[in-house]
Amino acid sequence: MGRPLLFYSAWPLGYHNLEAERKARGFAAAGYDTVYVAGVGIRNPRLRTLPKAVDRIARGMLGRDGPAGSPVVADGLRSGSVLVVPPRQVGSVRRTNARWIGRRLTEMVGPGAVAWIRWPTPELVDALATADLAAVVYECVDAYHHTPGITGPWAARHEQAERALVDRADAVVVPSEHLAERFRASAGRVAVVPHGVTLEAFPFAAPREDRSRPVVGFVGTLDYKLDLGFLRHVAERRTDWSIRLIGPIQEGFDPAALADLRNVSVEPAIPYERVGAAIAGFDASMMPYRDDPVYRSSTPLKNLEIMAVGRPAVARPTRALEAYSDVIELATTPEAFLAGLDRVLAADSNDLARRRRARAEQESWRLRMDELLGLLEALKAGPDAADAPLDRPQSIADAR
C-alpha cells in the first residue's frame, strides 16, 4: 500500500460538484492510500446540520466496514470523519478539539502521510502544527475569504487559520494567477494549476442542425451566484428561445422569481455522466453569474466542459476567463449578454465547435493531475512510502 494521503475537502463524498472527489480518486489511482474527509468549516455546529453530522459520525468514525475509528471504504475510496464540539472559540474547547482531530488523523493516516487540505479549519490547522507528515499542501480553489458568511469575527478567524496553514504548508496550490497573488508574499511555494476537464465525460457534439428555435441553457448549481436580472433580460426579449436551467436548487435561488417567464424551465439536477449530453442539447450555454468578489476570483470549470462539447458560451467576465475571450463571449451588462448570445448563435459552425474542443483538449483533467502529482514528487512526497523525507526550508526566504 502506498503513502497515506489525507484529502480534506469542504464537500462530502457524493456532492454534486465532483471536482474534489475526482482529485482524491486521482491520487488514489496514482498509488496513494487516500482517505477523503469532509471538512467541518469554522462555525459552530447548527441544529439544521445535526442529521448530516450524525451520518458522518456513523459512517466515518464508527466505521461501518471496519473496526471503530477506521475509515470506511466508499466506492473504492476510503473516507473518514472528524468532529468538533462547541463553543469552538473558547480556548480550552479549541485545544480539546485540536487534540481530538490530531488523534483522528493518526488513526486514519498515521505518520509520514501527505495532508492535502482544501479548507483552513482552525482546529485542524492546530493539529497539523505537530503532526508527523511528509508534506502539507493547501489547495485554495476559490476566494474563500469572500465566501458568504465569512464576515465579522468569522472573517478574522478564517484569516488567522489560513495564515497559520500557509505557514505550515510546503506548497499552496491555486487555480489562477489572481488567487496566487494572495499568497505569493507569504507562502514558500505557490503552484498555479488550473482546473481540468474530463474529456471522456464531455464528448464533442456538432452544432444542432435545426436552430430555428434556439435552446440556451445552464447546467450547474442554482443558487445565489446566478444573476436573475441577466436571465430575465434574455427571456423577456427572446420569447421564441427555450431557456433551460438544470441543477440542484440551493440557498439564494427562488424558482418563483422566474415562474412568469413561459420560455424558462427550471429542471432538476442530473447525474454527472449526463451533463455533457445536456450541454450538447443546447445551441449555446450561459454563465450568468453575479459580479461579486467570489466570482471575480474564480476559475469556472464549467467553461472547459462547455468548450469540450464544442458549444459556444456567453459569460460574465473574470480574470481567469479573459484567456478564453477568443472562443467565448464576455459581457458585463444584460444588454451585452443578450447581444453576445445573438452573435454566437448566428455565427456558430462545425469549424468553430472543433476549435473550442481543441482548446479544451489542452486543459484535460489528466494533464492537470500530472501537474499535481509532479508537485508532490518535487516535495519528495511521492506515493511510494519509502521515498526520502521532505527537506523542509528553515524559512520562507530559503524556499524561494
Side-chain angles (χ1 to χ4, degrees):
M1 192 169 288
R3 184 190 300 278
L5 183 147
L6 170 74
F7 193 94
Y8 185 80
S9 172
W11 313 120
L13 281 174
Y15 188 70
H16 61 268
N17 184 339
L18 295 178
E19 178 266 336
E21 187 172 330
R22 287 202 305 271
K23 203 163 284 183
R25 293 188 184 281
F27 286 126
Y32 288 94
D33 181 18
T34 306
V35 179
Y36 188 104
V37 176
V40 294
I42 66 172
R43 290 178 176 271
N44 290 321
R46 288 162 286 178
L47 285 176
R48 67 183 178 86
T49 62
L50 188 58
K52 291 182 180 180
V54 171
D55 180 62
R56 287 184 189 176
I57 296 169
R59 294 175 57 217
M61 295 177 65
L62 300 182
R64 292 186 306 188
D65 295 355
S70 66
V72 176
V73 177
D75 194 22
L77 186 68
R78 295 205 299 154
S79 66
S81 298
V82 295
L83 183 68
V84 293
V85 297
R88 296 172 64 179
Q89 297 73 40
V90 175
S92 59
V93 177
R94 176 166 168 171
R95 288 190 292 273
T96 299
N97 281 329
R99 286 194 295 271
W100 166 248
I101 288 178
R103 190 158 72 236
R104 286 290 298 145
L105 297 184
T106 299
E107 293 171 352
M108 289 188 289
V109 297
V114 170
W116 193 277
I117 310 300
R118 289 169 56 103
W119 184 262
T121 297
E123 297 90 340
L124 175 71
V125 176
D126 293 346
L128 292 177
T130 57
D132 180 9
L133 298 165
V136 176
V137 176
Y138 174 39
E139 185 184 20
C140 180
V141 297
D142 258 323
Y144 296 151
H145 55 300
H146 290 311
T147 301
I150 305 297
T151 58
W154 298 112
R157 290 177 186 122
H158 175 274
E159 182 75 14
Q160 183 183 44
E162 187 176 66
R163 286 181 179 177
L165 178 55
V166 170
D167 287 344
R168 176 66 177 88
D170 302 292
V172 175
V173 175
V174 293
S176 68
E177 187 61 37
H178 187 62
L179 277 176
E181 292 170 2
R182 177 172 169 80
F183 302 106
R184 289 206 186 278
S186 55
R189 183 193 296 252
V190 179
V192 178
V193 182
H195 297 309
V197 59
T198 307
L199 295 169
E200 298 83 0
F202 296 88
F204 173 80
R208 297 196 318 141
E209 292 185 6
D210 182 7
R211 285 177 276 167
S212 58
R213 291 184 59 83
V215 179
V216 178
F218 171 88
V219 184
T221 305
L222 306 178
D223 61 8
Y224 70 93
K225 293 190 290 292
L226 295 184
D227 193 322
L228 296 189
F230 275 48
L231 292 172
R232 289 197 67 91
H233 185 84
V234 172
E236 289 172 349
R237 284 155 182 80
R238 297 292 182 269
T239 55
D240 59 328
W241 291 6
S242 175
I243 299 172
R244 301 176 61 194
L245 308 177
I246 306 172
I249 296 173
Q250 294 195 352
E251 186 176 355
F253 181 86
D254 182 7
L258 302 172
D260 61 308
L261 301 169
R262 303 187 68 175
N263 57 336
V264 175
S265 61
V266 178
E267 305 173 31
I270 57 177
Y272 174 76
E273 57 269 18
R274 288 174 49 198
V275 173
I279 295 172
F282 304 154
D283 295 302
S285 280
M286 303 182 293
M287 289 179 277
Y289 293 108
R290 290 184 182 276
D291 182 28
D292 63 26
V294 174
Y295 179 65
R296 287 196 294 270
S297 300
S298 71
T299 308
L301 173 59
K302 194 171 309 301
N303 172 54
L304 300 179
E305 296 171 346
I306 295 167
M307 287 198 309
V309 176
R311 289 295 176 266
V314 182
R316 198 89 176 240
T318 70
R319 284 179 57 179
L321 286 180
E322 289 173 0
Y324 304 96
S325 59
D326 59 324
V327 288
I328 66 170
E329 288 272 346
L330 301 176
T332 58
T333 66
E335 294 78 12
F337 198 86
L338 177 58
L341 285 170
D342 284 336
R343 281 193 296 273
V344 299
L345 288 169
D348 199 20
S349 67
N350 196 62
D351 286 345
L352 287 174
R354 288 287 181 189
R355 181 179 169 192
R356 298 180 197 112
R357 173 69 181 193
R359 286 291 296 278
E361 289 173 348
Q362 299 173 24
E363 318 249 4
S364 75
W365 165 248
R366 291 181 181 179
L367 291 175
R368 298 308 185 212
M369 199 67 219
D370 286 345
E371 292 181 56
L372 298 178
L373 293 169
L375 171 67
L376 290 179
E377 291 285 357
L379 295 176
K380 298 183 181 179
D384 184 355
D387 284 349
L390 175 67
D391 295 327
R392 299 185 184 277
Q394 295 302 306
S395 67
I396 291 175
D398 292 337
R400 292 179 177 147

